[in-house]
Amino acid sequence: MNIIKLTAETQNNLLDNLLKRSPNNYGQYESVVADIIANIRERKDQAVFEYTKKFDKWDITADNIKVTEEEIEEAYAKTDSDFIEVMKRCAANIDAFHRRQLRNSWIDTKPDGSILGQRIMPIAISGVYVPGGKAAYPSSVLMNVIPAKVAGVKKIIMTTPAGADGKVPTGTLVAAKIAGVDEIYKVGGAQAIAAMAFGTESIPKVDKITGPGNIFVALAKKACFGYVSIDSIAGPSEILVIADETANPRYVAADLLSQAEHDELASAILVTTSEELAKAVSAQIYEFLKELSRADIIGQSLENYGYILIADSIDAAVSAANAIASEHLEILTKNPYEVMTKIENAGAIFLGEYSSEPLGDYYAGPNHILPTNGTARFFSPLSVDDFMKKTSIISYSKQALEHAHKDIELFAAKEGLTAHANSISVRFRKE
């Protein structure tokens, strides 16, 4: 990895480079995705079957599109029992964390007879997309489904591509069962997103779609937003580490590589006040690459979007971190908690040398579905709130409205909305 002095210029160049990875920059595929969505809307199941045959190379029908209980039982039989128990423990931690996010409806009454409140209810049906192939991550199944279950969503369906043999990865099926998915359909790609957004003869229409996917999935979610709610348009994974001279270079290097191995577009950045640490981390990275199975992917990722930045101070490092707004932010400094108080933009913050990023990916409990590509400036991790809808409650007595009606009528008149004013004033005019 190249070691660069952190300046305003290098920071701006870095930000420009990172933004190239945004799904918003793949407009050349939008027409393809739009055609798929239109075809699914018009021809429903038949279009789903045709796209599955074309892209996934197996003969899907209304009879085999849905995963059966027998297939789930077979997946359990083929999955290592220790792994099943680990998934259950992870699921318990995820459930416990997200239960702390639950909020209650509320009502506020006043002596004049006015009643205001907010009713909080879960959405009725949620859909989760799970990638297949090399990107089949059971952990993402748990992270997408459990917050919806905690929120009280009545029905959760999942779509995921099957292989040419019509089989779904066993880990995906076991994770779905542990998390509480109600129905699983063997459909992938943009066609799966369109099917959940608009419904087909086999796949029900949902209220919200969550889950990561390739660029076609991301663009399909973007195109269907408004017909359904979505979690976000996920970009490539990223990690930023703030470290000083007290950090262990082996730990820093290992943590940077943990995200670089996702794909060639992943970003791994170290911002440090120690040039000695920077050199040690760079050397250690190349030592680790000799033994890691995805070294080719990691090497490409680091060449494209890997940086080691030397900052003049921790405050300068924090300023860079806030500008980058990374998905994952590790703080490996003498006093990480003090540094953490200065962080304004990050998807998830990991404090101290024993809080490496994979802890959050699998086990700790907070959601690993996080804002990417700088969107942590205004987006949050997936949470129970994402599966809730809020309804305002308003009730005024005659006495309460009498105190307010002239103000409302004046405001309406100033906006030229005489029918609005009349709707209030009619209640205080004699017939």
Side-chain angles (χ1 to χ4, degrees):
M1 293 175 72
N2 292 325
I3 300 174
I4 304 169
K5 179 71 174 177
L6 177 62
T7 65
E9 182 181 2
T10 58
Q11 180 174 304
N12 288 336
N13 290 340
L14 184 155
L15 290 171
D16 288 342
N17 194 35
L18 293 179
L19 288 174
K20 294 175 184 176
R21 307 173 308 137
S22 170
N24 292 321
N25 290 329
Y26 292 89
Q28 67 268 36
Y29 302 116
E30 288 182 346
S31 61
V32 175
V33 171
D35 288 343
I36 292 173
I37 293 171
N39 200 8
I40 298 293
R41 292 187 70 176
E42 181 181 352
R43 300 176 58 240
K44 301 185 184 299
D45 265 2
Q46 193 56 43
V48 170
F49 301 158
E50 291 171 3
Y51 285 122
T52 301
K53 176 68 173 177
K54 178 179 179 180
F55 297 125
D56 297 330
K57 311 302 181 186
W58 72 285
D59 292 316
I60 189 174
T61 68
D63 294 328
N64 63 16
I65 190 174
K66 188 175 178 180
V67 171
T68 64
E69 284 298 322
E70 290 75 19
E71 288 176 292
I72 294 175
E73 291 172 7
E74 180 184 355
Y76 265 84
K78 291 182 176 180
T79 303
D80 182 81
S81 60
D82 288 342
F83 183 36
I84 293 174
E85 291 306 310
V86 167
M87 279 196 276
K88 288 180 179 179
R89 289 196 289 274
C90 291
N93 290 343
I94 297 165
D95 182 276
F97 179 86
H98 286 83
R99 287 195 181 278
R100 297 291 299 270
Q101 297 175 340
L102 283 167
R103 294 193 287 169
N104 296 319
S105 302
W106 57 269
I107 289 286
D108 181 36
T109 62
K110 294 182 178 178
D112 65 3
S114 62
I115 301 173
L116 299 175
Q118 181 172 262
R119 188 179 179 199
I120 303 176
M121 299 165 289
I123 61 176
I125 178 168
S126 180
V128 56
Y129 182 83
V130 178
K134 294 180 180 178
Y137 300 130
S139 59
S140 284
V141 177
L142 302 179
M143 293 289 183
N144 275 281
V145 175
I146 291 173
K149 295 294 290 187
V150 170
V153 175
K154 297 181 180 67
K155 185 175 184 179
I156 301 172
I157 73 163
M158 188 174 93
T159 59
T160 188
D165 57 358
K167 298 288 187 180
V168 174
T170 55
T172 297
L173 294 182
V174 172
K177 183 69 173 179
I178 290 171
V181 174
D182 296 295
E183 298 172 2
I184 306 170
Y185 296 91
K186 304 175 186 179
V187 182
Q191 58 271 26
I193 301 301
M196 288 192 285
F198 299 103
T200 72
E201 293 88 346
S202 297
I203 301 175
K205 174 177 168 45
V206 305
D207 299 315
K208 180 154 193 161
I209 299 173
T210 67
N214 63 21
I215 188 60
F216 295 98
V217 169
L219 289 174
K221 287 171 68 177
K222 181 179 178 182
C224 291
F225 177 66
Y227 296 100
V228 291
S229 177
I230 62 171
D231 51 350
S232 63
I233 309 296
S237 188
E238 53 201 27
I239 185 171
L240 187 148
V241 178
I242 296 176
D244 61 15
E245 71 283 354
T246 67
N248 184 320
R250 284 176 57 82
Y251 297 169
V252 175
D255 294 353
L256 291 171
L257 297 179
S258 73
Q259 294 307 290
E261 76 170 340
H262 273 291
D263 60 56
E264 293 85 351
L265 294 177
S267 170
I269 300 171
L270 167 63
V271 187
T272 180
T273 53
S274 169
E275 188 169 350
E276 182 180 347
L277 178 75
K279 293 176 180 178
V281 169
S282 181
Q284 185 61 59
I285 281 173
Y286 292 107
E287 288 301 312
F288 279 138
L289 282 175
K290 296 175 183 178
E291 59 189 66
L292 296 173
S293 62
R294 295 168 69 89
D296 290 344
I297 292 174
I298 294 171
Q300 192 64 51
S301 168
L302 295 180
E303 182 178 339
N304 293 334
Y305 302 105
Y307 299 88
I308 297 179
L309 304 174
I310 307 294
D312 290 331
S313 66
I314 287 294
D315 283 345
V318 167
S319 179
N322 282 329
I324 295 167
S326 185
E327 177 187 18
H328 307 101
L329 173 64
E330 289 190 6
I331 303 177
L332 301 176
T333 61
K334 185 177 181 180
N335 190 342
Y337 297 94
E338 180 182 352
V339 176
M340 183 266 292
T341 63
K342 302 175 183 179
I343 297 297
E344 298 173 355
N345 303 320
I349 301 174
F350 300 80
L351 301 170
E353 63 181 8
Y354 294 103
S355 304
S356 60
E357 188 280 334
L359 174 66
D361 272 351
Y362 300 110
Y363 192 81
N367 211 289
H368 79 198
I369 299 167
L370 303 166
T372 59
N373 237 187
T375 60
R377 293 190 301 272
F378 45 84
F379 281 144
S380 304
L382 190 71
S383 71
V384 169
D385 278 349
D386 287 293
F387 301 95
M388 293 290 197
K389 57 181 182 177
K390 304 171 186 69
T391 301
S392 299
I393 298 170
I394 302 168
S395 176
Y396 266 48
S397 66
K398 182 178 181 180
Q399 178 188 357
L401 185 59
E402 195 163 17
H403 291 304
H405 79 93
K406 290 183 179 179
D407 288 347
I408 301 167
E409 291 163 23
L410 177 59
F411 217 133
K414 292 297 183 183
E415 292 191 345
L417 300 176
T418 55
H420 278 61
N422 183 63
S423 174
I424 298 293
S425 65
V426 70
R427 286 163 166 77
F428 298 97
R429 293 198 305 266
K430 294 181 178 179
E431 293 296 336

